[in-house]
Amino acid sequence: MSTKRNGSNNLDAILKESAKLMAKQGYHGTSMRDLAEVTGHSLSGLYHYLDSKDELIFKINERGFTSLLEIAKEIRERDILPADKLRAVISNHIDFFSGNMSEMRVRMFGTHDIDKKRSQVISDLKDDYASIVRQVVHDYLQSQSDKQFSESEISRKTYLLFGMMNWIYGWYSKNEHGSASELADDIYVTFTQGCLG
């Protein structure tokens, strides 16, 4: 992992512009020279911030999942009803990804080109985030039913929710489908009305 000191605002801009290009051209179709050009840096200047495309993928994933995890932790600790926690988690996820669609597409590439150590960091962040969402789903279900849900049921329903939330990168457009808030409301209603069926 790079130990270079970065201006975080400049790095954020580099990650955002790089993600836009990589989302269009794909991982293997994008070179470091392409990334330097789109970010307005010389190739050597870009290497001051990123060692490689692998580090770019790592940074995009790390920053995204860290942000999601921090807000999810805060939502989990709120003194609100389980249904409101679920709605807040869904809204946060949709707000984040709808506002960072290029980064989301890059995340869908996976981390297969990242070294094992970095892949483990991303895997741990994803697992921590999924664990919080699973707990929120569990608490919601138990608040709505006397039934005791098995671990497999909770896990299945949680990943059904993730399926709805994550797949928006393939089709969602604010101009065509309405606001992120409207989308989050639809997902919440669809999930809550269906998961107890």
Side-chain angles (χ1 to χ4, degrees):
M1 193 180 303
S2 174
T3 57
K4 303 181 182 74
R5 290 187 176 182
N6 308 315
S8 72
N9 288 341
N10 203 5
L11 181 59
D12 287 341
I14 288 170
L15 294 179
K16 187 164 282 293
E17 290 305 312
S18 297
K20 287 179 186 176
L21 183 65
M22 197 172 280
K24 290 179 186 175
Q25 297 184 180
Y27 178 87
H28 295 292
T30 305
S31 68
M32 287 295 284
R33 193 170 298 280
D34 294 332
L35 296 172
E37 184 175 341
V38 78
T39 59
H41 288 74
S42 65
L43 190 56
S44 61
L46 183 62
Y47 278 118
H48 175 74
Y49 292 94
L50 298 166
D51 291 336
S52 62
K53 289 192 299 180
D54 291 358
E55 186 175 23
L56 171 65
I57 294 290
F58 171 72
K59 289 289 188 188
I60 289 171
N61 276 278
E62 180 192 38
R63 288 193 169 205
F65 285 111
T66 297
S67 177
L68 281 169
L69 181 58
E70 287 175 354
I71 298 173
K73 285 178 178 177
E74 185 272 321
I75 291 170
R76 180 183 59 187
E77 299 308 315
R78 290 180 193 171
D79 185 19
I80 56 177
L81 294 172
D84 294 331
K85 284 188 183 183
L86 178 61
R87 186 183 287 274
V89 163
I90 292 171
S91 293
N92 176 58
H93 193 101
I94 297 302
D95 285 346
F96 182 83
F97 279 123
S98 65
N100 299 277
M101 291 294 276
S102 293
E103 291 90 333
M104 187 173 184
R105 289 187 175 97
V106 170
R107 284 185 197 98
M108 293 301 116
F109 296 163
T111 57
H112 56 277
D113 289 303
I114 300 176
D115 64 70
K116 188 174 180 180
K117 184 177 179 181
R118 287 173 172 166
S119 291
Q120 189 61 54
V121 171
I122 302 306
S123 180
D124 290 345
L125 286 169
K126 286 180 176 179
D127 288 348
D128 289 347
Y129 179 57
S131 178
I132 290 175
V133 177
R134 187 181 296 111
Q135 184 64 52
V136 170
V137 168
H138 169 271
D139 292 348
Y140 169 76
L141 291 173
Q142 292 302 156
S143 75
Q144 301 295 310
S145 174
D146 293 331
K147 174 184 174 182
Q148 290 300 310
F149 292 89
S150 68
E151 284 297 316
S152 62
E153 286 178 291
I154 298 297
S155 183
R156 186 170 63 246
K157 292 177 189 297
T158 300
Y159 284 106
L160 284 168
L161 176 59
F162 274 125
M164 280 194 282
M165 295 192 297
N166 289 344
W167 188 245
I168 68 167
Y169 88 93
W171 63 268
Y172 174 67
S173 164
K174 181 179 179 180
N175 293 334
E176 291 182 49
H177 306 112
S179 69
S181 176
E182 291 171 313
L183 175 58
D185 285 345
D186 280 349
I187 290 174
Y188 173 79
V189 169
T190 301
F191 180 74
T192 56
Q193 290 188 1
C195 71
L196 293 168

